[in-house]
Amino acid sequence: MAPLHFTIFIFFSFIFAISSSSFAPPRHPFDPLTETELKLVQAIINKTYPIGPSHKFTLQYVGLNEPDKSLVLSWYSSPKHTIKPPPRQAFVIARDNRKSREIVVDFSSRAIVSDKIHVGNGYPMLTNDEQEAATELVLKFKPFLDAVTKRGLNVSEIVFTTSTVGWYGESEAETERVIRMMPFYLDGTVNMYLRPIEGMTILVNLDVMKVTEFKDRLTVIMPKANGTEYRISQLKPPFGPTLQNAVLMQPDGPGFKIDGHVVRWANWEFHISFDARAGIVISLASMFDMDVKKYRQVLYKGHLSEMFIPYMDPSDDWYFITYLDCGDFGCGQCAVSLEPYRDCPAGAVFMDGVFAGQDGTPAKIPNVMCIFEKYAGDIMWRHTEAEIPNLEITEVRPDVSLVARIVTTVGNYDYIVDYEFKPSGSIKMGVGLTGVLEVKPVEYTHTSEIKEDDIHGTIVADNTVGVNHDHFVTFRLDLDIDGSPNSFVRNELVTKRTAKSVNTPRKSYWTTSPKTAKTEAE
């Protein structure tokens, strides 16, 4: 399946990511937490709250506490950064006896400096550990095993994915921190999402780790495993058109430099880091102005805010599927190791990412991000001048750019997130969607057999419907173009009639009218 692409252009600046297990003290206020710091957070919190499921206290998120912007800018603007940087702290969201607790840990004092219960709606991000524990719980749950036996299935061939249940107007007292377990059947394929086992409702309460609801409603036909293999090593020819490898050679090595978490390339300088929820975090991106011989600020901070994927099927097996990929599952936590020469080209530099498990133990994702220079034969700028007598001029500038890439796999979808910096002063943010479909089984094998008014999707194979859904990708962008006091101005086209006093046969023209945006909607 070819990737679908959503592309956003931002004029002036922007890029992405890293994480390191270095034991050296961080040199930058936005450096991500190191393995050493994560272990220190674990030890400090454990003195006050014994961590672990048996104590009903788990760490759902650990990341850098956002430092005060004025202090960061004061440090950044000082010559050679001689001013003391802001206090370095960790922000922790924990689950404590069915309540969400927000904790701030200060590294210099090695103490908790803020500790409060979250008041309001919503639940913290899911951890990998609790989703795995929920799967193990259901695989031992007798009513589920009985339902599997009734269907004539082998429980060893069943795998699960999870989904939050959404909110549909219930009061807070009616909502618990539960996830819905969605079973799939292998038995001859690894393409699990094409073989859903529908007709069962399975809810697990994560706070008590217990199956709180199980209904075996009906038995639904299952799509066949034939033709679902996607691993090239398991396929037989023909494979499709043969493509020759295209390689960008750099005999002098990469044209960018990385100093800690600061990247410098062409006229760009920026800081990159990794976060369990947001994935890539870009900060303090600036462009060098040769006329004034200094860097001019463009972007203070930017990263993915959310990826919202609502499916459009109101049936019992589908109505709740309205994924919040970053907020529920973590766009960094779900990021995967990149394959050299396949996910990233020759000459790419790879970086690791580190995040905390629910007991605070650091977990590393090797090669989770890559940075490379890209040239696809495009032209950034050109002009041929042939009107000057006895002189012909041709000037061409190749469109070389710097790309920072991360791939986050949330269930069936792989998101290829690129931050592409251009010497012209623009940033192209691209999100490519690939992976496999999440489908529902139906009795039909052809559109002519459909009896309902709406099957909420498209028949893509025998007994298989690809359900209608959307992908909404949003970003947090704190743009400080030439400083904080700025506005977004949009020029609107306005038709003008030529004044009678103007001696011209032209009757009309258009001009622009500037409009300053006051809200995001504008």
Side-chain angles (χ1 to χ4, degrees):
M1 180 174 63
L4 307 176
H5 285 86
F6 299 90
T7 302
I8 301 174
F9 287 91
I10 293 181
F11 283 95
F12 251 144
S13 96
F14 193 44
I15 170 170
F16 117 148
I18 166 176
S19 201
S20 156
S21 56
S22 170
F23 287 86
R27 296 171 293 173
H28 195 288
F30 285 137
D31 279 357
L33 299 184
T34 64
E35 289 186 37
T36 301
E37 289 175 319
L38 290 175
K39 291 177 181 177
L40 183 56
V41 169
Q42 181 188 40
I44 292 170
I45 293 181
N46 203 36
K47 292 178 182 178
T48 305
Y49 304 102
I51 301 173
S54 60
H55 300 285
K56 298 191 184 325
F57 190 97
T58 55
L59 304 184
Q60 306 298 130
Y61 168 84
V62 182
L64 180 69
N65 192 40
E66 182 88 14
D68 182 85
K69 184 174 180 178
S70 62
L71 296 178
V72 172
L73 292 178
S74 178
W75 169 86
Y76 182 67
S77 61
S78 64
K80 297 184 179 180
H81 308 318
T82 53
I83 292 179
K84 183 180 179 181
R88 187 161 175 84
Q89 299 174 332
F91 177 64
V92 179
I93 301 176
R95 196 68 180 159
D96 180 12
N97 285 308
R98 295 188 160 188
K99 294 182 180 179
S100 296
R101 188 177 290 275
E102 297 176 340
I103 301 171
V104 176
V105 175
D106 183 77
F107 288 110
S108 60
S109 63
R110 300 197 170 202
I112 295 174
V113 294
S114 177
D115 186 353
K116 60 184 180 181
I117 297 295
H118 171 74
V119 178
N121 297 321
Y123 292 111
M125 195 173 77
L126 301 171
T127 67
N128 293 334
D129 298 320
E130 61 190 350
Q131 294 177 78
E132 292 168 4
T135 295
E136 293 175 6
L137 181 69
V138 175
L139 286 172
K140 298 175 182 178
F141 188 62
K142 188 177 185 306
F144 171 73
L145 296 177
D146 292 342
V148 170
T149 301
K150 184 181 76 172
R151 287 167 170 78
L153 304 178
N154 185 349
V155 71
S156 65
E157 294 290 322
I158 294 176
V159 292
F160 283 91
T161 188
T162 62
S163 175
T164 50
V165 296
W167 182 79
Y168 301 94
E170 304 92 338
S171 67
E172 186 174 352
E174 294 176 299
T175 58
E176 298 285 346
R177 189 167 179 264
V178 299
I179 56 174
R180 187 153 171 170
M181 308 300 296
M182 302 163 62
F184 298 85
Y185 201 55
L186 300 178
D187 192 30
T189 183
V190 295
N191 201 342
M192 54 176 273
Y193 291 99
L194 291 187
R195 305 202 76 200
I197 306 172
E198 295 201 346
M200 285 187 276
T201 300
I202 314 167
L203 298 183
V204 174
N205 186 312
L206 296 176
D207 287 330
V208 297
M209 200 51 70
K210 180 180 179 181
V211 178
T212 55
E213 182 179 336
F214 179 84
K215 294 179 182 178
D216 186 3
R217 305 186 320 277
L218 71 160
T219 301
V220 181
I221 192 171
M222 186 184 301
K224 298 177 182 178
N226 298 344
T228 62
E229 181 61 69
Y230 56 79
R231 293 171 295 178
I232 194 72
S233 61
Q234 303 298 315
L235 295 174
K236 296 180 180 179
F239 299 114
T242 301
L243 302 176
Q244 298 295 330
N245 291 331
V247 179
L248 172 65
M249 301 300 296
Q250 293 182 292
D252 298 324
F256 58 91
K257 294 181 180 180
I258 302 176
D259 181 12
H261 295 273
V262 175
V263 179
R264 296 181 179 90
W265 175 78
N267 48 352
W268 284 101
E269 177 184 281
F270 48 86
H271 183 275
I272 64 177
S273 64
F274 174 85
D275 179 77
R277 185 190 187 282
I280 298 166
V281 179
I282 303 98
S283 54
L284 296 175
S286 302
M287 287 191 65
F288 188 77
D289 188 328
M290 290 185 293
D291 292 332
V292 297
K293 292 182 172 54
K294 70 174 185 178
Y295 280 97
R296 298 172 64 184
Q297 193 174 346
V298 179
L299 178 74
Y300 177 73
K301 198 169 189 180
H303 54 74
L304 272 174
S305 175
E306 191 54 270
M307 292 195 289
F308 175 46
I309 303 92
Y311 280 74
M312 298 295 138
D313 188 332
S315 65
D316 194 74
D317 283 304
W318 285 85
Y319 77 89
F320 57 92
I321 303 181
T322 53
Y323 297 121
L324 296 168
D325 282 347
C326 292
D328 286 340
F329 301 99
C331 288
Q333 181 176 258
C334 292
V336 297
S337 296
L338 300 174
E339 296 287 334
Y341 304 107
R342 292 191 289 179
D343 285 318
C344 309
V349 174
F350 292 82
M351 296 178 176
D352 300 337
V354 181
F355 67 96
Q358 71 175 26
D359 65 351
T361 302
K364 182 167 74 172
I365 310 175
N367 292 353
V368 73
M369 289 162 289
C370 68
I371 297 178
F372 58 91
E373 287 170 294
K374 172 185 173 182
Y375 176 59
D378 296 327
I379 299 169
M380 181 177 69
W381 176 88
R382 80 171 319 284
H383 179 63
T384 296
E385 181 56 71
E387 301 301 324
I388 302 174
N390 303 318
L391 182 64
E392 182 171 321
I393 302 171
T394 297
E395 286 290 319
V396 184
R397 309 284 191 271
D399 190 11
V400 180
S401 57
L402 184 72
V403 176
R405 173 171 294 168
I406 188 171
V407 174
T408 181
T409 301
V410 189
N412 59 306
Y413 269 112
D414 295 57
Y415 296 92
I416 306 164
V417 183
D418 282 355
Y419 298 82
E420 186 174 350
F421 294 80
K422 294 179 176 291
S424 59
S426 67
I427 300 177
K428 177 182 176 182
M429 295 154 52
V431 181
L433 278 66
T434 182
V436 297
L437 286 174
E438 189 165 355
V439 303
K440 75 171 182 178
V442 294
E443 60 181 304
Y444 313 121
T445 60
H446 191 272
T447 55
S448 62
E449 302 171 359
I450 297 174
K451 302 171 185 176
E452 297 102 313
D453 292 335
D454 192 351
I455 60 171
H456 309 291
T458 302
I459 293 180
V460 294
D462 289 355
N463 310 118
T464 306
V465 165
V467 178
N468 297 331
H469 62 283
D470 299 288
H471 292 260
F472 298 94
V473 182
T474 60
F475 290 83
R476 172 207 169 181
L477 298 173
D478 185 355
L479 292 165
D480 279 2
I481 299 174
D482 268 343
S484 299
N486 54 57
S487 300
F488 181 83
V489 178
R490 182 177 71 249
N491 285 319
E492 298 181 343
L493 299 182
V494 179
T495 301
K496 291 281 189 178
R497 292 290 176 182
T498 306
K500 294 181 179 180
S501 59
V502 179
N503 185 21
T504 177
R506 183 72 174 263
K507 303 300 182 183
S508 64
Y509 63 97
W510 61 257
T511 187
T512 60
S513 175
K515 182 178 180 181
T516 301
K518 297 181 180 179
T519 66
E520 287 190 10
E522 295 180 334

